[in-house]
Structure formats: structure tokens, C-alpha cells
């Protein structure tokens, strides 16, 4: 009976071992390679002497490519890596069966393997037979012991599945966290820009002359002259807004005929006024307004403001531990989100204007934009560049078409378009009552089931059937995330858009594109120089 039982256990263990090796073989090597690559990258970057030494050694001998070594089917490094993964699985199983001694012995050998692999990676030489044989032999013995003690296939499969599921959950959590950190970094203000904002705010508070000049220009007839070219920018970023204005007038044929309408928040208002009143922009007219003074932008009129006040929405916009007694606009660290929604209220902000070009604060203008004002929009409200060259820019990717409110009224294959450079016919806007459309859809999405946060999805709904497609060269996107945009496309573009997290004023900006933005920064200004050097 014992002989038959032993004969039965051997094929069972053999099948178990093969199954585990097949299950773990795919991700075991990849994980270890990633660890080694990161380890080497960290070592090289953190130690300048190591960089110099590595260059010297390249002359003397060929440095080992440890990534190839770990992937080689005949290397001791790969054998050790595979044994580590298998041993880790049996550590979990041993602990679940209260065999703590076996778990401890396996863990001890795993650490020995990891130490040997780490030494080999640092010295840049393959692991020798003399180094590997004692560890491989002893660890193999422990693995066979573990297989003999825990040969139940069903138990092992369930254990491995739960372990893999836990790893997947950790990977997903890490991905979400990485995305969140990237977004926070993109929305944070670098020290140099914060320094500039503070200096300008001090100038505004101390200078009665600047405040008087701002009051004097507030009633300029040029602000409502429809014979001029009007542009609007909604932002709390002084340098970014300055680049938009500076690049627009630099490439304009008649900058003196341009009027820029800027709306910012109460915190940035003084700094924005001080910057644009104390610098020359080739005779163009610049108006700066404070959103805090828009008394009509309240919860009874604007659904977005009402939703910011709603207890269920505060976690989305502000986090869960905010003081509800404080005015939402003042306590929101991402106040730009409300500034973003101002684009739906352009006719209310500028009731006497007939046509206007909207520009995001992360664009750079490279050509004269005045021809936009003579384009025939064929009765449409919004002139925009379509973005459906790729499938993911169609309506069904932005909106929830499983909801009949959406599916019965819109074509899921309809082409999306870009916000960031748009020409608006305000007469047609008022006639079609686009703002009321926006209000309707914003209210329908109070529970956020039609789309997630953002301004493009409600815009796709509000401007549906009212958008005139423009030539692609008017607006090229992707410079804030796509590193492979064709240079010819960038050079031919009237406006390039740094949409994405890699903004040109941040350290994580794509270095290839940053000079395009940087050339329109006023580096000669003493405040800019002081803040950059300090």
C-alpha cells in the first residue's frame, strides 16, 4: 500500500510542479528583470562616480547585460529567479498549514538567492557554478519537501489564485495612485511660479497707481468694439496666460486690433492685473476680471455651483474632510475646475460681443489667428478641430450610451472635437440657447452616471449639431503627453496644445516641446529672473 501511495504521489507532485512552473513562469522573470533594471537605474543616477567608473570599465571590458542574463535559459541567474518565485508560493502554503519552520527555512534561502542576484547585478558578472550550486541544491531540497508535505492540487491552485489576485489588486492600486500623483503634480504650482505670483501680488497691494489704472481701463470702449478681434482666457496661472497672449500678438499681423479678456480667481487677480498693466503687449488691449465679482454665477442659476455645494459631490471636488461652512469657490484647491466651466457662460460674461476666440492657458499660438473671425461657420455656434482620426475620440468613449437619455438622442459614432482653441459665434449661441442646453445636461448628470468629471462631455452634448469642423492645422493637440508628434505637423499648426499632465512650465514637461513654450516667456523681467535663480 505504501509503495502504491508513493507511486501515486509522484505523478501528482510532478503535475503540481509543472502547473506551478507554467503559472509563474510568465511573470516571474519579468518581475525580477524590472527590479534589477530599477535597481541599476537608481544606482547609476544616485552616484555620479558610478557613472564615471562605468564608462571607464566599458573601455577595459564588456559590461554584462544582466537583463539578458536573467532571461537566458541556461544561466544560473534564471534558475535562481525561478526557484525564488516557486519558493515564495510554498512559503504562503506552508504558513497556511501552520508549518512555520518550513516557511522560515524557505524564506531564509530566498534571501540568500536575492543577495546573490543583487551582488551579480552590481558587479556586472554572471553567477558561477560554485556560487549557485549550494543555494540551488539546498533550495531544491526544501521545495521538494514542501511539495511532499502540501501536494494537494486544489489547495495549491486556490492559494496561487488568491496570491495572483492580490498582486493584481496591488498593481491596479499602484496604477491609480500613479495617475493621481501625476495629476496632482500637473496641477501644483512650481516654486518659481509661486514666487512670481507673490511678488506681483505685493506690487498690486502696494501700488495705488496700478489699481487706479485698472479701474480706468475697465470701461474702455475697445472692450465691446465688434470691429476688433476678441480672445478670452480663463486661468489662474500668470506665466501661462502671459505666454498665450504674448505668442498670439507676436505672430499677429495687427496686434493693436486685438483685445484679450482674461478671467481669474480672487487669489490671482492682483498678480494678473500687475503683470499685464506693467508690461507692454504691442498695443493690444487686455482686460482682467475676477470671477468672485460674477454675482450671477450662483447655485440658483449654475448647476455646477449647486453641485459643488451638494454633500454627495464635495468628496469628488474637495475631498471628504472639508469645512462646508466655507464658500466652496474659496476652499477648492482645484479652483481651476470652476474656471473651466466659465467657457459655457461666454455670452453672459461678454453680452455685447458677437464673435470671440476661446484659448486654453496651455496653448501656444504660432500663426496669425485673425482669419478665424472671417470663417464661415454655416450658422453653427462652435468652430473646432475634430479629433476622431482615432476611434477613442468618438462620442461613445466619452458618454454612457447604456443610458437611454444618451442613446436615444446621440450618435455613438459622432466625431469628438477639441476644446482649447475654439471660435464662437455668440449671436448663434444666444439664438440656440447653448447655455441652457449645458444646464440641462449638467443637471441630468448630477449623479455622474452620464459622464465623469470634465467639461468636454457636456460640451459634446450642448454643442451637438452646432459645431463646424475646422482644418486640422488650426489646432494640434497632445504636446502634454505624446512624445512622437510629427515635427511637420507642429510647424504647420496655428495653435499647439499642451493638453495632458506634462505641462511646459513643469519639470516633467517633454523636453522636445518645452522650447516652443519657453521662447514666449519674458525672461528679461527682473521678477522672472529673481524667481528662476532663487
Amino acid at each position: 500500500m505504501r509503495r502504491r501511495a508513493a507511486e501515486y504521489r509522484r505523478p501528482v507532485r510532478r503535475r503540481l510542479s509543472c502547473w506551478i512552473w507554467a503559472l509563474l513562469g510568465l511573470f516571474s522573470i519579468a518581475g525580477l528583470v524590472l527590479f534589477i533594471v530599477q535597481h541599476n537605474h537608481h544606482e547609476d543616477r544616485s552616484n555620479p562616480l558610478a557613472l564615471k567608473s562605468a564608462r571607464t570599465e566599458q573601455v577595459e571590458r564588456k559590461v554584462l547585460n544582466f537583463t539578458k542574463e536573467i532571461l537566458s535559459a541556461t544561466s544560473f541567474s534564471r534558475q535562481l529567479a525561478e526557484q525564488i518565485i516557486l519558493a515564495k508560493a510554498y512559503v504562503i502554503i506552508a504558513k497556511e498549514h501552520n508549518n512555520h519552520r518550513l516557511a522560515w527555512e524557505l524564506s531564509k534561502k530566498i534571501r540568500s538567492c536575492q543577495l546573490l542576484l543583487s551582488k551579480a547585478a552590481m558587479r556586472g558578472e554572471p553567477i558561477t557554478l560554485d556560487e549557485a550550486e549550494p543555494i540551488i541544491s539546498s533550495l531544491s531540497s526544501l521545495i521538494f519537501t514542501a511539495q511532499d508535505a502540501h501536494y494537494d492540487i486544489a489547495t495549491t491552485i486556490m492559494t496561487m489564485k488568491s496570491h495572483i489576485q492580490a498582486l493584481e489588486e496591488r498593481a491596479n492600486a499602484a496604477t491609480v495612485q500613479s495617475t493621481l500623483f501625476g495629476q496632482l503634480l500637473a496641477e501644483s504650482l512650481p516654486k518659481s511660479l509661486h514666487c512670481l505670483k507673490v511678488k506681483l501680488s505685493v506690487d498690486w497691494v502696494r501700488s495705488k497707481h496700478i489699481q487706479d489704472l485698472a479701474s480706468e481701463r475697465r470701461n474702455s470702449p475697445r472692450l465691446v468694439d465688434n470691429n476688433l478681434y476678441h480672445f478670452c482666457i480663463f486661468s489662474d496661472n500668470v506665466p501661462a496666460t502671459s505666454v498665450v497672449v504674448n505668442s498670439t500678438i507676436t505672430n499677429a499681423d495687427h496686434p493693436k486690433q486685438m483685445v484679450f479678456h482674461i478671467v481669474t480667481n480672487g487669489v490671482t487677480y492682483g498678480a494678473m492685473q500687475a503683470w499685464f498693466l506693467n508690461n507692454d503687449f504691442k498695443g493690444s488691449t487686455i482686460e482682467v476680471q475676477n470671477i468672485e465679482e460674477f454675482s450671477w454665477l450662483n447655485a440658483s442659476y449654475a448647476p455646477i455651483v449647486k453641485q459643488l455645494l451638494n454633500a454627495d459631490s464635495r468628496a469628488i471636488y474637495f475631498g471628504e474632510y472639508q469645512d462646508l461652512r466655507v464658500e466652496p469657490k474659496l476652499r477648492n484647491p482645484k479652483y481651476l475646475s470652476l474656471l473651466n466651466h466659465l467657457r459655457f457662460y461666454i455670452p453672459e460674461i461678454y453680452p455685447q460681443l458677437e464673435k470671440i476666440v476661446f484659448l486654453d492657458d496651455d496653448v501656444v499660438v504660432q500663426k496669425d489667428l485673425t482669419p478665424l473671425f472671417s470663417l464661415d461657420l454655416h450658422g453653427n455656434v462652435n468652430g473646432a478641430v475634430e479629433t476622431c482620426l482615432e476611434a477613442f475620440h468618438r462620442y461613445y468613449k466619452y458618454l454612457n450610451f447604456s443610458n437611454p437619455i444618451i442613446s436615444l438622442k446621440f450618435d455613438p459614432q459622432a466625431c469628438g472635437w477639441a476644446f482649447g482653441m475654439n471660435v464662437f459665434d455668440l449671436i448663434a449661441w444666444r439664438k440656440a440657447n447653448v447655455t441652457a442646453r449645458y444646464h440641462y445636461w449638467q443637471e441630468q448628470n448630477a449623479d455622474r452616471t452620464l459622464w465623469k468629471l470634465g467639461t468636454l462631455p457636456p460640451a459634446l452634448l450642448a454643442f451637438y449639431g452646432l459645431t463646424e469642423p475646422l482644418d486640422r492645422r488650426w489646432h494640434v493637440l497632445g504636446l502634454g503627453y505624446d512624445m512622437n508628434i510629427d515635427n511637420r505637423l507642429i510647424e504647420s499648426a496655428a495653435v499647439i496644445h499642451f493638453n495632458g499632465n506634462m505641462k511646459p512650465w513643469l519639470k516633467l514637461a517633454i523636453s522636445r516641446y518645452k522650447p516652443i513654450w519657453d521662447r514666449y516667456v519674458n525672461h528679461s523681467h527682473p521678477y522672472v529672473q529673481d524667481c528662476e535663480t532663487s
Side-chain angles (χ1 to χ4, degrees):
M1 291 296 292
R2 291 182 179 178
R3 183 178 302 174
R4 289 182 180 178
E7 290 174 354
Y8 171 76
R9 285 198 299 269
R10 288 191 192 103
V12 170
R13 289 199 299 268
R14 198 173 297 116
R15 289 197 301 271
L16 171 61
S17 178
C18 292
W19 183 87
I20 294 174
W21 283 96
L23 181 66
L24 298 173
L26 292 175
F27 61 85
S28 62
I29 303 304
L32 194 62
V33 168
L34 180 62
F35 166 78
I36 293 167
V37 170
Q38 290 176 337
H39 175 77
N40 289 344
H41 181 68
H42 174 74
E43 290 291 331
D44 291 344
R45 288 180 64 86
S46 60
N47 189 353
L49 294 177
L51 285 171
K52 183 177 180 181
S53 175
R55 296 190 190 100
T56 304
E57 289 179 4
Q58 284 177 355
V59 178
E60 297 175 353
R61 61 178 176 81
K62 185 178 180 180
V63 179
L64 174 71
N65 186 330
F66 202 75
T67 302
K68 290 183 178 180
E69 175 73 10
I70 205 72
L71 293 174
S72 173
T74 58
S75 71
F76 292 115
S77 299
R78 175 163 179 168
Q79 293 181 47
L80 287 169
E82 291 176 341
Q83 280 197 320
I84 286 174
I85 300 300
L86 190 58
K88 283 183 176 180
Y90 279 113
V91 167
I92 297 171
I93 298 172
K95 286 181 178 179
E96 289 185 352
H97 287 76
N98 294 320
N99 194 340
H100 298 293
R101 179 173 180 79
L102 178 59
W104 179 83
E105 290 178 352
L106 285 167
S107 298
K108 182 180 178 182
K109 290 300 178 182
I110 288 171
R111 288 193 294 271
S112 299
C113 286
Q114 291 172 334
L115 180 61
L116 182 56
L117 288 169
S118 179
K119 287 181 178 179
M122 287 190 293
R123 74 191 183 196
E125 296 178 356
I127 296 173
T128 64
L129 175 63
D130 292 337
E131 293 174 317
E133 185 177 20
I135 296 179
I136 291 176
S137 177
S138 57
L139 189 53
S140 296
S141 177
L142 285 173
I143 289 173
F144 280 119
T145 301
Q147 289 177 341
D148 189 60
H150 310 291
Y151 62 85
D152 180 74
I153 293 178
T155 301
T156 306
I157 290 175
M158 292 302 298
T159 303
M160 294 306 302
K161 281 185 176 180
S162 63
H163 186 52
I164 292 171
Q165 185 178 0
L167 290 174
E168 289 177 347
E169 290 175 355
R170 288 172 59 187
N172 291 336
T175 301
V176 172
Q177 191 177 51
S178 175
T179 303
L180 176 62
F181 287 160
Q183 186 66 29
L184 289 174
L185 183 59
E187 293 171 352
S188 63
L189 194 66
K191 289 182 179 179
S192 60
L193 301 188
H194 179 71
C195 164
L196 177 64
K197 187 175 179 178
V198 170
K199 287 179 177 289
L200 292 169
S201 297
V202 170
D203 280 357
W204 170 256
V205 172
R206 290 181 176 178
S207 177
K208 183 72 165 52
H209 169 71
I210 298 178
Q211 296 180 29
D212 292 341
L213 188 59
S215 298
E216 178 185 331
R217 294 186 179 181
R218 181 172 293 181
N219 298 317
S220 171
R222 290 173 60 86
L223 299 177
V224 294
D225 187 349
N226 283 297
N227 293 315
L228 302 177
Y229 304 109
H230 295 266
F231 301 85
C232 62
I233 309 163
F234 307 138
S235 173
D236 64 351
N237 188 324
V238 177
T241 306
S242 178
V243 165
V244 176
V245 174
N246 195 26
S247 62
T248 304
I249 63 173
T250 298
N251 296 289
D253 294 335
H254 305 286
K256 290 184 179 180
Q257 297 181 23
M258 291 183 164
V259 181
F260 294 89
H261 304 268
I262 300 168
V263 180
T264 188
N265 58 24
V267 176
T268 314
Y269 176 73
M272 200 77 80
Q273 284 281 25
W275 178 265
F276 284 102
L277 289 172
N278 283 331
N279 289 282
D280 177 50
F281 291 92
K282 297 187 176 181
S284 61
T285 300
I286 300 175
E287 174 194 35
V288 178
Q289 291 180 276
N290 184 356
I291 193 174
E292 306 291 346
E293 297 178 1
F294 295 166
S295 58
W296 50 267
L297 190 62
N298 51 55
S300 63
Y301 175 64
I304 183 64
V305 178
K306 181 180 179 180
Q307 290 167 14
L308 293 179
L309 288 166
N310 186 279
D312 294 334
S313 301
R314 73 177 187 271
I316 299 295
Y317 289 95
F318 310 123
E320 295 183 3
Y321 304 103
Q322 297 289 341
D323 186 358
L324 288 176
R325 294 171 295 179
V326 182
E327 176 67 15
K329 293 187 292 185
L330 299 179
R331 60 182 163 83
N332 184 3
K334 298 179 182 178
Y335 185 61
L336 189 61
S337 64
L338 187 55
L339 284 173
N340 274 345
H341 282 266
L342 279 186
R343 64 191 69 189
F344 296 104
Y345 299 99
I346 292 175
E348 283 85 346
I349 302 172
Y350 313 109
Q352 294 176 276
L353 296 184
E354 297 175 355
K355 187 170 283 190
I356 198 167
V357 170
F358 166 77
L359 297 172
D360 258 336
D361 67 351
D362 54 353
V363 306
V364 172
V365 178
Q366 301 187 124
K367 300 185 185 302
D368 185 20
L369 296 186
T370 55
L372 285 170
F373 292 85
S374 59
L375 287 178
D376 185 0
L377 299 182
H378 300 98
N380 287 310
V381 177
N382 171 33
V385 171
E386 292 185 330
T387 56
C388 56
L389 294 177
E390 302 293 340
F392 58 82
H393 283 131
R394 297 188 181 274
Y395 269 48
Y396 73 92
K397 285 295 184 180
Y398 295 102
L399 303 164
N400 178 17
F401 274 86
S402 64
N403 192 312
I405 297 177
I406 297 294
S407 60
L408 293 175
K409 295 184 178 181
F410 301 97
D411 177 8
Q413 294 297 328
C415 190
W417 45 267
F419 247 148
M421 195 293 298
N422 306 79
V423 53
F424 292 120
D425 184 333
L426 300 185
I427 297 176
W429 182 315
R430 297 182 185 101
K431 184 178 179 180
N433 207 355
V434 175
T435 301
R437 287 188 177 196
Y438 160 70
H439 282 174
Y440 170 80
W441 289 112
Q442 196 69 37
E443 288 171 347
Q444 292 296 314
N445 193 48
D447 56 358
R448 294 177 299 281
T449 58
L450 303 185
W451 70 85
K452 297 179 181 179
L453 297 178
T455 55
L456 183 56
L460 294 177
L461 301 177
F463 291 98
Y464 188 71
L466 299 173
T467 299
E468 179 72 15
L470 303 181
D471 188 292
R472 187 186 180 194
R473 290 171 294 180
W474 278 114
H475 187 191
V476 171
L477 298 96
L479 280 78
Y481 67 88
D482 188 351
M483 301 183 184
N484 301 306
I485 302 175
D486 193 322
N487 281 330
R488 293 170 296 181
L489 187 60
I490 294 175
E491 291 169 1
S492 66
V495 174
I496 56 171
H497 197 165
F498 288 83
N499 57 311
N501 286 340
M502 299 179 182
K503 302 300 183 187
W505 53 84
L506 300 176
K507 286 186 178 180
L508 53 76
I510 300 174
S511 57
R512 177 186 162 205
Y513 308 135
K514 189 169 183 177
I516 303 173
W517 186 85
D518 202 53
R519 71 169 64 113
Y520 294 106
V521 177
N522 186 2
H523 292 288
S524 63
H525 195 284
Y527 285 176
V528 175
Q529 293 178 351
D530 290 345
C531 291
E532 286 178 346
T533 55
S534 62

